[in-house]
Amino acid sequence: MPNWEGSDRKETLPPDWEKRRLRVLRRDRYRCQHVRYDTGRKCAAFANQVDHINDREDHDERNLQSLCEWHHLRKSGSQGGTAAAEARQAREASSKPRHPGLRP
Ligand SMILES: [Zn+2]
C-alpha cells in the first residue's frame, strides 16, 4: 500500500484568491500560457484555470499562470510523459477527418 503521509496535497488559497485568479486570467487574456513541447509556442487555447508555476504556496501573480482545462489536468495529474502525450495530441489534432467526397 502506498503511504501518502509525506505528501502535503492540501492547498491553502488566500481569501482574495478569486480576485487574483481573475486578474491573472485577464492579464493572460484568457489564453493558455503553457508552452508546447512540440511547437515551442504557447498553447493559447481558451484558459479558465489558474495554476501555480512553481511554489504552490506562493500566490503572487508572478507565480500564477492561466491554463486551459486540458493543460491544467495534465499538470495537476501525473507529471510524467507530458511530452509524449502532447506529441500524441498534436498528431491527433493535425489528422483531419477525410473529405466526405473522397469516400470509396
Ligand atoms: Zn493549453
Side-chain angles (χ1 to χ4, degrees):
M1 285 292 283
N3 178 15
W4 299 108
E5 215 175 302
S7 68
D8 180 20
R9 296 289 296 176
K10 100 172 140 39
E11 287 179 69
T12 44
L13 296 172
D16 65 338
W17 170 248
E18 196 54 33
K19 274 190 220 158
R20 284 168 196 256
R21 213 183 132 261
L22 275 173
R23 268 205 301 271
V24 171
L25 286 169
R26 290 209 188 100
R27 180 197 68 192
D28 295 338
R29 294 166 190 271
Y30 290 85
R31 295 288 166 201
C32 177
Q33 300 299 302
H34 181 90
V35 176
R36 296 177 59 122
Y37 295 92
D38 51 345
T39 60
R41 293 182 179 198
K42 280 180 187 169
C43 160
F46 174 73
N48 58 358
Q49 316 279 322
V50 171
D51 175 64
H52 293 79
I53 298 169
N54 294 309
D55 187 358
R56 297 173 75 91
E57 305 295 318
D58 180 5
H59 307 300
D60 192 289
E61 282 167 43
R62 278 166 301 182
N63 187 44
L64 299 171
Q65 64 177 347
S66 306
L67 286 183
C68 68
E69 224 158 316
W70 196 86
H71 279 123
H72 191 244
L73 277 172
R74 282 288 127 192
K75 218 187 154 179
S76 43
S78 99
Q79 296 274 349
T82 313
E86 286 215 4
R88 198 182 316 125
Q89 193 207 28
R91 265 200 306 279
E92 277 162 22
S94 63
S95 66
K96 295 192 182 98
R98 293 180 64 178
H99 194 282
L102 295 177
R103 269 192 300 219

